[in-house]
Amino acid sequence: MTRAIAAPPRLALFGGLPARKKPFAGPSVFDGAERKNVLEVLNDRALSRFMGSPSADIERQLSMTSAEAVDYNPQHFMFIGGRKVRALEAEFAKRFGARYAIAVNSATSGLMTALGACRLGPGDEVITTCLSFNATAVSILAFSSIPVFVDIHPESLCMDPEDIRRKITPRTKAILVVHLLGRAADMDAINKIAAEHELQVIEDCSQSPGTVYKGTPVGSIAPIGVFSLQDTKNIVAGEGGVIVTSDESLARRCRLIRNHGESIPGPDATPEELCNIVGFNFRMTELTAAVALAQIKKLSRNNQQRNVNARYLAQRLAKLPYLRIAEGFASDGNVCHVLAMTYDAKTSGVSRDAVLAAIRAEGIPVGGGYPRLMPENPMFTKKIAFGMDGWPWSGFPHGRAMRYRREDYPVAASLIYEKFIWFYHVNAPNTPKDMEDAANAFKKVFSNLDALKGYAPTGPKVYKW
C-alpha cells in the first residue's frame, strides 16, 4: 500500500495560517544604563551644552583629543559640547582606535562634515557605490561636489575596485566607501587606487560598527570614517552619528563645521582656513549622547548575537532550492547587519517579488533591498538638486557626459530588481528561536512555489528609466 504524501500547508498569502504572528523585536536593547544616563541629563537640566561662539581657549578645544576632552574644564557651555557628548566621543575613539571622535546629529550630517573637512568643493567628483541609502550620495552634494557611481562586487556587495579604476577622471578627488550590511569593502585595493591617484578616502560605516578588516576596525582604515546611531542601526540612539579620525587637522575642521564654524576665524584667516567652514548646526544633544553612551558599551555583545542569529538562519536555509547566501556575511570580521540572500527566479519560474509577498504574509519581515539604485533617484537622472538650473552638474564643464544609467551597474541592478531577499531582524534581542520561525516560513513558501506561479503581487513600484 502506497502512503499518500501530505500536501504542504496552505500559504498564508492564500488564506492559510501564518508561520509567525508575533512581531520580531527591533534593535533597541535598553536596560538601566540608558535610564540612568538620561536621568542624569534631565536632573542636571543639561539638554545641550554646546556654545557656538569663540572662547579664550577655543584653539585648545579644537585640537585636544577626545580622551583629553572628557574631563576638560567644568564650565557650563563649551564649543565642543557637554559632558555626555564628550564621554560618548571618548568611548567611540577608544572603541575604533582613533584619536578623535566628533558626535553629530545624524550620519548624513556626519558624511557632509567629513567631506567638507576634506576640502571637497564645487565640481570635484566623488566616487561612491550605486547601492546604499540615499544619504551616502546626497551628502556629496552638500559642498556642490558631483557623485560618480560604481557597481558592486557580487560577493562583498561593496564597491568593485575595478569599476572605481574605470570611473576615475582628472576631476576625481575622493572615494566614499560604504561597508554595506556589515560587510567590509576591499580596502587594500581601494587604498592602493587612492594612493596611485592621490585621492582622499572616506568610510561610511553606518551599517558596520564592529566589523573588522584584516585586524583593523572599519572607520579607522581611511583617514576619516562615519557611523550612524539611527534607530535601525547596531548602536541605537534614535538619530545621531559619530565621525572618527586620527588626523588633528581633520578633527579641527569637523568640529568647526559641526558648530557654526564661521564664527571662529579672525580677520586674518587664510582662504584654506575658511574653506567649507560655513554655518551648520550639526550638534548632538546630551540626551542622544546619554542613550548612545550606554549603547556603545553593548555593541560587542549585540553584534555577537547578530552573527549567532544570522549563522543559524543561514544554516537552516542552506538546502532550499534557488536560494543562495553569499559567504562571509558573518565571518572574516564581518558583523551581519542584514542577512542578504539571492534568489534564482529564472530557474524556479516564480518571480522574486511573489516569493517576497508570500514570506511577508507568513509574518516574516523581508524585502528586496533598496527600492532603487541611488543613481536612479530623479535627483540624479534629472540632475536637479539646488535651484532649477541643474546645480551642481550645470556649473562645471566635464570632459565626459555625466550620465546615470542602469546599464552602468549591471551587478547591482540584477540583484536589487530581480534577486535580492533581505531578512532584516538578525538583531538582538531576537534569538535562534525567532530565526526558527523565519526558517519555517521560508521552507513553507519554497515547498509551495508551484502555487505562486503566475502570481503578480501589488506593491511598491519598480522604477524604470
Side-chain angles (χ1 to χ4, degrees), residues 311-334:
R311 291 189 190 109
Y312 181 89
L313 181 56
Q315 183 180 30
R316 297 287 282 116
L317 301 181
K319 294 183 180 180
L320 288 185
Y322 318 118
L323 195 68
R324 180 176 179 270
I325 301 172
E327 296 180 1
F329 63 91
S331 61
D332 300 325
N334 292 334

Side-chain angles (χ1 to χ4, degrees), residues 8-92:
R10 190 180 185 189
L11 293 176
L13 187 67
F14 302 131
L17 294 176
R20 181 181 171 103
K21 294 182 179 179
K22 178 184 176 182
F24 285 81
S28 301
V29 184
F30 296 152
D31 56 27
E34 285 84 4
R35 295 182 182 91
K36 175 179 177 292
N37 287 354
V38 168
L39 284 173
E40 287 174 356
V41 172
L42 294 176
N43 289 336
D44 290 343
R45 299 184 179 182
L47 302 188
S48 178
R49 285 296 177 259
F50 274 101
M51 177 178 68
S53 302
S55 57
D57 63 346
I58 187 63
E59 289 302 325
R60 174 75 181 117
Q61 289 190 44
L62 290 173
S63 63
M64 65 175 58
T65 67
S66 293
E68 294 170 332
V70 174
D71 296 317
Y72 176 75
N73 200 330
Q75 67 193 49
H76 205 49
F77 291 98
M78 292 181 65
F79 189 83
I80 56 174
R83 289 191 175 278
K84 286 291 189 281
V85 165
R86 286 180 279 138
L88 174 65
E89 291 174 340
E91 283 290 332
F92 253 86

Side-chain angles (χ1 to χ4, degrees), residues 214-386:
K214 297 186 177 180
T216 303
V218 299
S220 302
I221 304 168
I224 193 164
V226 179
F227 296 87
S228 175
L229 309 178
Q230 193 267 341
D231 215 38
T232 64
K233 301 303 191 297
N234 300 41
I235 304 172
V236 173
E239 297 291 349
V242 181
I243 305 161
V244 296
T245 182
S246 290
D247 185 306
E248 181 181 332
S249 175
L250 287 175
R252 183 183 192 278
R253 293 175 61 76
C254 285
R255 286 168 171 169
L256 287 167
I257 293 170
R258 167 179 68 177
N259 185 16
H260 301 289
E262 79 286 350
S263 66
I264 302 304
D268 297 328
T270 66
E272 186 177 68
E273 291 171 329
L274 291 172
C275 174
N276 291 351
I277 309 301
V278 294
F280 293 117
N281 177 349
F282 291 154
R283 305 180 302 202
M284 178 182 285
T285 70
E286 288 288 278
L287 283 171
T288 300
V291 175
L293 184 58
Q295 281 282 296
I296 191 173
K297 295 177 181 179
K298 301 181 179 77
L299 178 62
S300 294
R301 183 173 74 236
N302 288 343
N303 279 351
Q304 182 180 24
Q305 189 63 51
R306 284 178 176 273
N307 280 356
V308 167
N309 289 341
R311 291 189 190 109
Y312 181 89
L313 181 56
Q315 183 180 30
R316 297 287 282 116
L317 301 181
K319 294 183 180 180
L320 288 185
Y322 318 118
L323 195 68
R324 180 176 179 270
I325 301 172
E327 296 180 1
F329 63 91
S331 61
D332 300 325
N334 292 334
V335 174
C336 187
H337 179 67
V338 169
L339 184 60
M341 298 161 261
T342 56
Y343 167 69
D344 186 352
K346 291 182 179 178
T347 303
S348 74
V350 177
S351 75
R352 187 275 311 265
D353 290 344
V355 170
L356 288 176
I359 296 172
R360 289 192 199 106
E362 299 296 336
I364 309 302
V366 292
Y370 300 108
R372 55 190 172 193
L373 300 177
M374 280 196 299
E376 291 195 324
N377 280 288
M379 175 185 293
F380 299 113
T381 59
K382 299 178 185 297
K383 299 187 181 66
I384 296 290
F386 302 112

Side-chain angles (χ1 to χ4, degrees), residues 14 16 65 74 132 179 185 192 208 244 265 333 354 367 376 389 404 422 453:
F14 302 131
T65 67
S132 182
H179 302 292
K192 181 180 179 182
S208 58
V244 296
E376 291 195 324
D389 296 326
Y404 301 117
W422 287 9
K453 287 184 176 179

